[in-house]
Amino acid sequence: MDWIFTQTQQVFAALSRLLTTPFFDIGNKQYSISSLIALGVLALLVFLAARSISEWIKRGLLVRLKVDRGSREAIASVISYLLTAIGLLILLQQAGINLSSIAVFAGVLGIGFGFGLQNLASNFISGLTLLVEQPIKVGDFIEVDNLLGTVENISIRSTIVRTIDGVCVIVPNIRFVENNIVNWSYRDPKCCIHIPVGVAYGTDPILVTEALSSAARMEPNVLSNPSPKVWFKGFGDSSLNFELLAWIDQPHESEPIKSALNFRIDHEFRHRGIEIPFPHRDLHIRNAEALAALFNKSGATDINNAKVHESEVKPLEQQKPTPKSPNNWTLRDLLRRVTYFEQCSDLELRQLIEYGYRQLFPAKQVVCQENDPGESFYIILSGSVEVFSQRLEKYIATLHEGEFFGEMSLLMGAPRSATVRTLSDTILFVVDRNDLQKVLVDHQELADHIAQKLSERQQVLRDLGLLTEAALEQTPLVWIRNRIQTLFGI
């Protein structure tokens, strides 16, 4: 037993001598294996402490300060690198290493690394540039070198980008400095997507405008402001080329939104009978007479076999055309039935269709509710509505084709003063708040009529407190005209 104990002591003594024996000197300080291990452990602790402090700042302090995700990541990364550098410098000084004594060595080593590791140095400097200038941030949706995705992490050497397919791509930082970067999330995430569409020659451009605008407005991910636009791009070999412009605020969802819009456009085209043509070519036959003679020799058609019994065919005067429902009319035809728009040209109506859209309400459905904020202006294209006050339990009016409502809330900046409910199946032309100015500028007669109608509702305006003493000194019509001019510059 004593022999085993003695041997163990000898082993530990030899191991201790091995660990504590100085192997090299730096300056006036000698270093052994044990001191190097202790230095490495302390350096690891410095790194972990810096990482923990930066994570606490990112997830705690910066979140409470409501800093956006990209800025939080950049600030936390810079703090982590600074704390690590400061901690290592303090550690080296406490270990007795004279930093000035290794400055020359570090300089020579740096030159060697600079020539041998140019790309690594470039990525390092580029990473610092990205973290400080923040042209891109974590969470941004970007495009670089045909790579489309969301920035997941920015480190000193590289940036991780998650593509729309869910694949993480590691991109060297130098590519973000040397190449042109499209940052869809920079400052304002709103962006415009373009949907090219070709239709057959002979198709009514106004009908195409209505179909494309309707498809865009039905898609919930498309913004109403700015409103969708339709461009006539040109005349193709086999089609009239149009382009739908729709604004979204989720650029990372642009591809799914484009797919949804394409489905809706296909539905609208089928519903309206709009044809998307196939490419075609004209064939010219030089010897048409010889070809016709060849076909004539092949035989004649028996006309008697193609006769139809007279009893199966109604006389022309007995064939009455089936009346077309207003639901199947084009928006252009419905707008032409309204007094303010009946003299408009097709080009003016096309512009008007871009400002508003058609919406069908079944009978007994509430269009707008009393005390709700007003966001839209309505013109009745067919059907009728009733206006009543739920608060006063009072019937106000019945409005029919060609009349409008919803203007008071928009122009006066007040909640809805009454509830509007359809009496029958009703088609409304809806103009959102942001597009009403454009409609009133182009159609002065409608603006004048709105002012006239509002002036007839003085008591309602007084009850809402919208007619001030200064306003009462003027005639209501003059005051309302001035109000419209102030709001819309008309």
Side-chain angles (χ1 to χ4, degrees):
M1 182 64 69
D2 292 338
W3 178 81
I4 296 177
F5 180 73
T6 302
Q7 290 294 326
T8 304
Q9 283 184 328
Q10 292 176 354
V11 170
F12 276 107
L15 183 61
S16 176
R17 286 193 300 272
L18 176 64
L19 294 176
T20 57
T21 301
F23 278 88
F24 58 90
D25 298 340
I26 297 180
N28 297 323
K29 184 73 173 179
Q30 294 181 335
Y31 291 92
S32 62
I33 295 178
S34 61
S35 60
L36 292 178
I37 293 175
L39 199 61
V41 171
L42 290 175
L44 179 61
L45 292 176
V46 168
F47 175 77
L48 294 177
R51 185 74 175 270
S52 300
I53 293 173
S54 65
E55 286 293 322
W56 175 81
I57 292 175
K58 179 177 69 174
R59 302 183 185 277
L61 180 61
L62 297 180
V63 170
R64 285 195 294 270
L65 294 176
K66 297 182 179 180
V67 180
D68 62 272
R69 181 191 173 192
S71 298
R72 290 201 307 267
E73 294 286 347
I75 294 172
S77 297
V78 172
I79 290 176
S80 177
Y81 297 141
L82 286 176
L83 290 178
T84 302
I86 293 172
L88 290 177
L89 289 175
I90 295 174
L91 178 61
L92 292 176
Q93 288 183 343
Q94 291 297 322
I97 298 177
N98 187 359
L99 298 181
S100 61
S101 65
I102 62 173
V104 177
F105 174 75
V108 174
L109 189 63
I111 293 175
F113 275 108
F115 283 108
L117 303 174
Q118 292 183 16
N119 291 335
L120 184 60
S122 299
N123 289 320
F124 179 81
I125 300 301
S126 300
L128 292 177
T129 303
L130 295 178
L131 291 173
V132 175
E133 293 187 358
Q134 294 190 357
I136 62 172
K137 297 182 295 184
V138 173
D140 285 355
F141 189 72
I142 65 170
E143 181 178 356
V144 52
D145 291 345
N146 297 323
L147 178 66
L148 200 64
T150 303
V151 178
E152 293 292 327
N153 183 52
I154 300 176
S155 64
I156 286 295
R157 190 194 69 83
S158 62
T159 296
I160 298 177
V161 178
R162 182 181 294 274
T163 67
I164 57 178
D165 297 325
V167 179
C168 287
V169 180
I170 301 175
V171 184
N173 288 331
I174 190 64
R175 290 173 62 182
F176 295 100
V177 177
E178 293 181 342
N179 299 329
N180 294 328
I181 308 300
V182 179
N183 189 345
W184 298 95
S185 305
Y186 190 71
R187 294 184 179 177
D188 188 356
K190 286 183 182 178
C191 64
C192 184
I193 57 177
H194 297 246
I195 309 292
V197 179
V199 300
Y201 272 94
T203 306
D204 187 351
I206 298 180
L207 191 62
V208 177
T209 301
E210 179 185 352
L212 294 177
S213 298
S214 177
R217 293 181 184 276
M218 286 191 301
E219 174 54 41
N221 291 312
V222 171
L223 301 178
S224 59
N225 181 35
S227 56
K229 298 295 180 184
V230 178
W231 287 355
F232 192 165
K233 297 291 289 184
F235 301 90
D237 293 337
S238 306
S239 64
L240 302 174
N241 297 328
F242 290 82
E243 191 164 274
L244 172 63
L245 279 66
W247 290 84
I248 62 175
D249 58 2
Q250 304 176 61
H252 59 283
E253 294 290 336
S254 59
E255 293 302 320
I257 294 174
K258 286 181 181 179
S259 174
L261 282 173
N262 284 328
F263 277 115
R264 293 186 182 276
I265 291 171
D266 179 71
H267 171 77
E268 292 295 322
F269 279 12
R270 290 176 185 273
H271 176 69
R272 290 173 170 79
I274 299 175
E275 179 185 353
I276 299 177
F278 294 100
H280 64 272
R281 295 289 184 269
D282 293 332
L283 178 64
H284 299 276
I285 301 175
R286 294 182 177 180
N287 298 324
E289 296 81 2
L291 186 63
L294 180 63
F295 276 102
N296 288 333
K297 292 180 180 180
S298 62
T301 303
D302 189 0
I303 300 178
N304 294 328
N305 294 335
K307 285 186 177 180
V308 181
H309 295 289
E310 294 181 359
S311 59
E312 295 180 1
V313 181
K314 292 184 179 180
L316 184 61
E317 61 272 8
Q318 296 181 5
Q319 296 182 7
K320 296 181 179 180
T322 304
K324 197 175 182 181
S325 169
N327 296 343
N328 297 324
W329 291 358
T330 65
L331 183 53
R332 174 181 54 189
D333 295 336
L334 289 169
L335 288 171
R336 277 246 166 82
R337 293 160 55 91
V338 179
T339 306
Y340 321 112
F341 312 129
E342 60 184 0
Q343 300 300 324
C344 290
S345 66
D346 284 352
L347 292 179
E348 291 173 330
L349 287 177
R350 192 205 71 81
Q351 188 70 47
L352 185 62
I353 289 172
E354 284 194 340
Y355 295 152
Y357 56 96
R358 169 191 7 206
Q359 193 167 2
L360 173 63
F361 290 86
K364 305 302 180 183
Q365 180 173 336
V366 173
V367 178
C368 55
Q369 189 77 35
E370 186 176 351
N371 294 324
D372 283 352
E375 297 296 335
S376 300
F377 171 72
Y378 302 89
I379 299 176
I380 303 174
L381 299 180
S382 69
S384 58
V385 300
E386 63 174 345
V387 185
F388 60 94
S389 173
Q390 294 176 310
R391 179 173 59 87
L392 302 177
E393 297 182 353
K394 178 182 177 182
Y395 164 82
I396 297 176
T398 298
L399 304 179
H400 300 279
E401 182 180 305
E403 297 185 275
F404 56 83
F405 60 92
E407 76 288 348
M408 184 181 297
S409 178
L410 289 180
L411 299 180
M412 300 298 115
R416 300 288 190 191
S417 59
T419 298
V420 180
R421 181 172 57 200
T422 58
L423 295 174
S424 59
D425 290 349
T426 303
I427 300 176
L428 301 177
F429 183 64
V430 186
V431 181
D432 292 333
R433 175 192 296 273
N434 301 304
D435 292 317
L436 181 58
Q437 176 187 6
K438 303 169 186 176
V439 174
L440 296 182
V441 168
D442 293 341
H443 303 278
Q444 184 68 49
E445 182 183 355
L446 176 59
D448 293 339
H449 199 69
I450 289 175
Q452 181 64 41
K453 284 293 184 182
L454 284 174
S455 68
E456 296 172 1
R457 302 174 186 173
Q458 299 178 48
Q459 187 58 47
V460 178
L461 296 176
R462 288 194 181 96
D463 293 341
L464 293 173
L466 298 177
L467 283 180
T468 60
E469 293 297 329
L472 291 173
E473 294 177 357
Q474 309 173 17
T475 60
L477 181 58
V478 172
W479 179 81
I480 291 168
R481 283 181 183 273
N482 293 336
R483 177 76 173 177
I484 294 177
Q485 290 175 355
T486 300
L487 288 174
F488 301 114
I490 300 175

